[in-house]
Amino acid sequence: MAGARAPLRVAGGGPASRPPWGAALELAALGAGLTFTFGLMAALPPWLSSLGRFQALYALAFVFFALALMRMRRYAALPHVALAVFGVALAARLALLPVSPWLSDDLYRYAWEGRVVAAGHDPWRESPLDPALAPLRDRVIWPRVNHPQLATIYPPLAEAGFALVARLRYSVTAFKLWVVLHDLALVALLMAILRSRGRSPAWALTYAWNPLAVVEYAGSGHNDPTAMVWLALALLAAERRPALSALALSAGALVKLAPLVALPFLWRGWTWRARLACAVTLAAGLGWFWTETRGGSSGLRAYWETWRNNELVFHYLERWTGGFAPARALVLALTAAALAWAWRRWRDPAPAARFGLRAATLVAPVVHPWYLGWPLLFEPLAPSAPWLLLSLTGVLNYGVLAPTAEGRGYHLPLAWRWVEYGAPLLLALVLAAFRRLRRR
């Protein structure tokens, strides 16, 4: 039409959009709702004794999280969105920082072992019941240490961290703060990884606001972020600073063994100097760790040979093979096959490591809820609705809406494990069917 004005264009070629205040207020409201829900959760009585209310609030937090994810494409272009995402992640974790670790007693073990190392003792050879450690026993931490008949399961760099915190402040809050600081650093690194790949740092919300990460790490104080942060740094530095990447991967594996899954995928992109640095560091650190954990009271041996929890695939592998040991061997074979397939499928170490960690998690005999944080670490790069749903259903591991007589020793019945894993599996099948129909 003559005289009509062309639509105003902005950089990028699209029509000018309305001011983003609506999207910004929407994101702020969802972040406030998420943080407020964690505040309500913090005010609950012990979570295992008020399990129904805890799980209801967990589900409500997941609703706020899911709504934010559904609108992420709108929020990603907001100015200063990374600051907003990080601010909510910080506030949510601070809300749970003062809470006692009601769901798990692992944190007490960290604190006790930190005190043992700081006092010059050997936690790999001396269990908490060892008479030599009697002078170190206190009335708050020691009575709550789990598996006191077993020596430690943790690698040397984890123990060094425990000792550092114990020297600074021997308290539950200090150890939780140690974990939270690492978790926040992890969020910052995820934002940096996203920027390096040309994506909005807002997608870090996929991990940073996930209720599972907030509850398990800020609420229960599980130390996984103290290793996950090194894995994230290894991925970030892989291309431009391979030596740093190699040392970061080594550090992560000396805190928790899980980063070793990413080793083959990072290795092929490193220089020979980076490979040498990693090989020497891991050989020295893990070799020493192996020799220290060979005793009769070894926690690592007990974990490897007997422990199971919240397993589904492994349950059937064990029935099929006729025993725990052959089923564990089959798990190793399946994990190796998954890693080999990922090696051929991806040159990029991030999706390859994600696939390996997912496979290892699903077939493992022990799948504690906080273990899910490892595959969820990669969700900002390519969110998966089934895996995000598993971070919701995983809370069933503690019980089903009512306190259990076993407390922390509760094991979810097989039928409910099918609900926990089956719901995400069903969603994956439905999404795959829709994708197939759209290709026709």
Side-chain angles (χ1 to χ4, degrees):
M1 182 183 299
R5 302 177 65 181
L8 180 63
R9 299 266 168 182
V10 295
S17 59
R18 295 178 181 178
W21 300 116
L25 290 174
E26 195 176 277
L27 180 64
L30 291 171
L34 183 76
T35 305
F36 182 70
T37 303
F38 286 124
L40 294 176
M41 194 181 288
L44 287 176
W47 290 349
L48 288 178
S49 63
S50 56
L51 191 63
R53 284 182 286 170
F54 164 75
Q55 289 178 327
L57 288 173
Y58 186 97
L60 178 60
F62 196 89
V63 169
F64 285 115
F65 167 64
L67 289 173
L69 279 181
M70 292 169 63
R71 306 281 282 173
M72 270 302 300
R73 295 190 184 279
R74 187 181 185 200
Y75 305 146
L78 288 173
H80 310 299
V81 67
L83 185 60
V85 169
F86 189 88
V88 172
L90 171 62
R93 285 157 175 77
L94 290 179
L96 295 188
L97 184 63
V99 177
S100 294
W102 304 119
L103 299 177
S104 169
D105 45 21
D106 282 2
L107 189 72
Y108 297 104
R109 183 94 195 197
Y110 307 158
W112 167 255
E113 291 178 358
R115 190 174 204 183
V116 168
V117 174
H121 290 273
D122 186 345
W124 294 278
R125 298 187 182 272
E126 298 171 290
S127 74
L129 292 180
D130 194 308
L133 302 181
L136 299 179
R137 295 172 186 169
D138 62 297
R139 296 182 179 181
V140 177
I141 303 294
W142 188 81
R144 295 175 171 84
V145 172
N146 57 23
H147 306 291
Q149 77 281 8
L150 296 176
T152 187
I153 193 174
Y154 300 109
L157 196 56
E159 293 293 331
F162 299 160
L164 173 63
V165 180
R167 281 186 177 276
L168 295 174
R169 180 75 175 178
Y170 183 62
S171 71
V172 169
T173 302
F175 276 83
K176 289 186 72 176
L177 182 60
W178 171 254
V179 173
V180 167
L181 289 175
H182 281 82
D183 202 27
L184 291 171
L186 173 59
V187 172
L189 282 172
L190 290 175
M191 291 180 173
I193 291 172
L194 288 163
R195 285 194 181 98
S196 72
R197 292 168 177 257
R199 300 193 64 199
S200 168
W203 285 100
L205 177 152
T206 315
Y207 172 85
W209 289 20
N210 192 307
L212 183 137
V214 179
V215 166
E216 296 297 347
Y217 304 141
S220 294
H222 290 290
N223 75 323
D224 297 73
T226 64
M228 291 160 65
V229 70
W230 292 110
L231 176 56
L233 179 58
L235 292 169
L236 176 63
E239 185 175 345
R240 296 186 178 181
R241 303 185 65 184
L244 174 61
S245 175
L247 292 175
L249 190 281
S250 302
L254 293 175
V255 177
K256 287 259 186 176
L257 299 179
L260 290 174
V261 170
L263 177 59
F265 313 118
L266 288 164
W267 181 276
R268 64 180 169 186
W270 289 338
T271 62
W272 71 266
R273 289 186 178 86
R275 292 173 180 174
L276 180 62
C278 180
V280 170
T281 304
L282 288 181
L286 294 182
W288 181 86
F289 176 57
W290 174 253
T291 61
E292 285 287 295
T293 54
R294 301 289 299 275
S297 64
S298 169
L300 185 63
R301 175 180 291 180
Y303 180 91
W304 180 257
E305 295 179 353
T306 62
W307 286 9
R308 57 175 66 79
N309 180 58
N310 201 35
E311 76 285 6
L312 183 61
V313 175
F314 187 85
H315 172 84
Y316 293 100
L317 294 178
E318 188 173 16
R319 288 180 59 181
W320 182 57
T321 59
F324 186 92
R328 171 67 94 170
L330 183 54
V331 163
L332 289 178
L334 291 172
T335 302
L339 295 179
W341 186 87
W343 171 275
R344 291 176 59 87
R345 173 68 176 79
W346 289 287
R347 292 291 301 179
D348 185 346
R354 177 184 60 196
F355 183 85
L357 282 166
R358 285 177 174 179
T361 299
L362 289 177
V363 300
V366 180
V367 191
H368 296 309
W370 55 94
Y371 287 9
L372 297 177
W374 287 92
L376 291 175
L377 160 67
F378 295 90
E379 288 303 292
L381 302 180
S384 164
W387 277 91
L388 293 171
L389 179 59
L390 183 58
S391 71
L392 170 63
T393 59
V395 78
L396 292 173
N397 180 68
Y398 297 111
V400 184
L401 300 177
T404 65
E406 300 89 344
R408 292 190 179 111
Y410 175 76
H411 290 276
L412 190 65
L414 182 60
W416 280 106
R417 274 178 269 158
W418 268 106
V419 174
E420 176 187 357
Y421 295 100
L425 175 60
L426 179 60
L427 178 59
L429 293 174
V430 169
L431 292 174
F434 271 116
R435 284 193 294 268
R436 188 172 182 179
L437 288 172
R438 290 178 64 183
R439 292 194 191 105
R440 292 183 178 178

